[in-house]
Amino acid sequence: MKIQKKAILLLLLTSILYTAPAHAAATPQNQVTGIYLDDRQLELEVQPLLINGTTLVPMRKLFEEQGAKMSWNNDTKTVKATKGDLVLTYQIGDSTANKNGQSLNLTVPGQIAGGYTMMPLRFVSEALGSSVKWDVNTRTVRIYSAINYDTTILYGVNLRSSPNSSGQSAVQQMLSVGDKVHVVREVDAFWLEVRTQDNKTGYISAKPQYSNYTSESLAEKQGSALLAYGEKYLGTPYEFGAATNQTSTFDCSSFVGHVFENVLAVDLPRASYNQAKEGKQVGISELRKGDLLFFSARGLDIGHVAMYAGNNQILHTYSKELGVHYEAFSDKWKKRFVTARRMF
C-alpha cells in the first residue's frame, strides 16, 4: 500500500513538472499582440479591450489614422466623423450608429474606460470603407484601407526607401509621368509616403513639381517651411536689381524667387509683374502662408511682391534701412494691393 501511494505521488509530481512550462508559456486567449493599418503598426495610448470577441480601441486614433476628421460633443458623448462624403455619428453606449442616414448595428457598444473613449475596431473600420482581418496565429488585427490611387505623378520622381535623398535612402524605382499612387501620409513639408499600383510602399518628394497631391495640412507645412527659410535672411540689405546668383542683397522679386526655388523647387520669373502671372489667383479672405501678394509701385501697375506670413503679416524687402523684414499687411499696403497668387 505504501509503495502504491509513493507511485501515485511520484506520478502527480511528474505531471506537474511536465505541464508547468506549457502553462507559463501559454498566451491568454483574449490577448491582441498588435494592430496594423496597411502593414504599419498602430501605436495605441492604451491596450485594446476585448469584449465578447470584439476588439475596442481608442476612438480618435481609430478614426484619424483612417483619414476621418472627428468632432466630439462631451455633453452628449457623441462622436461625428467625416471622410469625403461619408458622415458617421454615434453616441457612446448605443447599440446603433448612423451612417449617411442609414442605421448600423454594433455587436458591442462603445464605452469610456480609464479616461479613454473606446470604439469597436471592426465596426468603425468597415464603416469607413476598410476591411479587417484577424490573424489567429500571430493574434494580430490587420486593417486594410480602401485604396484610391488618385495622385498623379507630374514629373519623373524616385520612389525611395526612406524620406530623404541621402545615399542611405535606396531608390526602389523611378515613377514616370502619369503614374498613379496612393498617398499613405504626409511625412513633413518635403516627403510623402505613397503606395504604388504594384503594391510597393516608399517615399517621394512632396514638392509640387512632382505630383498633383495637395491638402490643407501639406500647404500649411510648406508655407511654414518657406517662411522659416526666408527668416534666415532677415536684415539682408535691399538692392534694386540685385543679382540672382548671390544672397548678400535682394530686391523684392529676387528674394521670393530665391526662397521658392530653394525650398519647393518652384522656378519663378525674375520680375514681380511676371511673377503675378504665375499660379492661381486668390482673394484676400482666402490667404494662407506662402501666398504671394502683388502691389503697385514706382508708377507700375505691379512693382512689388511680398510673401504672406499668416496673422496679417507679410515678409518682404523694399527698404535699404530695413532690408528683409516682417511687417503688418496694413491699410498702407492694402491701398496698393493688386492681386494675390498661389504657387503651390
Side-chain angles (χ1 to χ4, degrees):
M1 189 67 175
K2 287 182 180 179
I3 293 173
Q4 267 188 328
K5 286 182 179 179
K6 285 182 180 178
I8 291 170
L9 186 61
L10 182 60
L11 183 62
L12 287 171
L13 183 59
T14 303
S15 175
I16 291 169
L17 290 172
Y18 178 78
T19 58
H23 285 298
T27 302
Q29 289 303 299
N30 65 348
Q31 183 176 340
V32 176
T33 60
I35 296 173
Y36 293 81
L37 174 61
D38 297 327
D39 299 324
R40 176 172 57 87
Q41 186 167 11
L42 298 183
E43 300 295 333
L44 302 178
E45 301 96 322
V46 292
Q47 286 297 312
L49 293 178
L50 280 100
I51 301 175
N52 298 329
T54 297
T55 303
L56 284 76
V57 298
M59 170 181 67
R60 185 171 295 279
K61 173 77 72 171
L62 191 57
F63 280 115
E64 292 182 349
E65 287 284 353
Q66 295 183 74
K69 294 181 180 178
M70 196 201 83
S71 61
W72 170 252
N73 186 319
N74 195 52
D75 294 330
T76 61
K77 301 296 186 286
T78 299
V79 60
K80 179 179 179 181
T82 58
K83 183 179 180 182
D85 296 331
L86 182 153
V87 179
L88 180 71
T89 57
Y90 175 69
Q91 187 171 33
I92 298 301
D94 284 357
S95 58
T96 60
N98 186 289
K99 176 182 173 182
N100 289 355
Q102 176 188 5
S103 181
L104 302 178
N105 295 321
L106 286 75
T107 54
V108 173
Q111 60 181 266
I112 297 175
Y116 289 90
T117 305
M118 310 291 280
M119 289 285 290
L121 181 148
R122 181 179 292 276
F123 171 80
V124 170
S125 299
E126 291 181 349
L128 295 175
S130 303
S131 59
V132 180
K133 292 184 179 179
W134 167 249
D135 189 328
V136 68
N137 295 320
T138 60
R139 306 201 65 78
T140 56
V141 179
R142 295 189 176 271
I143 307 168
Y144 297 95
S145 301
I147 296 178
N148 294 317
Y149 297 95
D150 49 8
T151 294
T152 303
I153 301 301
L154 303 177
Y155 190 89
V157 63
N158 289 326
L159 181 72
R160 292 186 170 272
S161 61
S162 58
N164 62 75
S165 55
S166 71
Q168 283 137 10
S169 178
V171 176
Q172 301 182 61
Q173 70 181 80
M174 167 71 81
L175 300 180
S176 302
V177 175
D179 284 352
K180 298 280 190 178
V181 297
H182 167 71
V183 175
V184 177
R185 66 187 176 103
E186 300 162 4
V187 179
D188 54 28
F190 305 111
W191 292 96
L192 302 172
E193 183 180 4
V194 301
R195 177 174 289 186
T196 66
Q197 289 182 294
D198 56 356
N199 210 32
K200 290 181 181 174
T201 300
Y203 302 87
I204 65 169
S205 172
K207 293 178 181 179
Q209 76 181 83
Y210 293 108
S211 78
N212 67 347
Y213 178 80
T214 59
S215 75
E216 289 184 11
S217 57
L218 182 62
E220 172 70 20
K221 294 183 183 89
Q222 292 182 334
S224 295
L226 287 168
L227 294 166
Y229 184 81
E231 283 180 8
K232 294 180 180 180
Y233 298 103
L234 287 175
T236 299
Y238 172 83
E239 179 188 9
F240 180 75
T244 56
N245 59 355
Q246 52 84 44
T247 58
S248 58
T249 61
F250 291 112
D251 63 16
C252 63
S253 54
S254 73
F255 172 64
V256 298
H258 176 76
V259 172
F260 268 80
E261 181 181 4
N262 282 272
V263 176
L264 295 181
V266 173
D267 187 15
L268 294 175
R270 175 63 181 86
S272 59
Y273 52 81
N274 285 326
Q275 291 174 350
K277 300 173 186 176
E278 301 293 310
K280 175 179 113 179
Q281 184 173 2
V282 292
I284 286 183
S285 62
E286 305 171 278
L287 292 176
R288 70 186 190 197
K289 290 179 184 177
D291 286 340
L292 294 183
L293 310 181
F294 295 90
F295 306 89
S296 60
R298 304 189 315 278
L300 300 172
D301 290 339
I302 293 177
H304 182 64
V305 60
M307 193 185 314
Y308 187 65
N311 298 320
N312 205 46
Q313 295 288 307
I314 55 179
L315 178 63
H316 61 163
T317 183
Y318 64 87
S319 159
K320 290 184 178 180
E321 291 76 23
L322 298 173
V324 176
H325 66 283
Y326 281 107
E327 185 175 345
F329 183 26
S330 62
D331 289 342
K332 173 183 81 170
W333 289 105
K334 287 177 181 175
K335 286 176 184 176
R336 295 166 54 190
F337 174 76
V338 178
T339 187
R341 308 293 292 189
R342 182 161 293 164
M343 306 297 174
F344 63 97

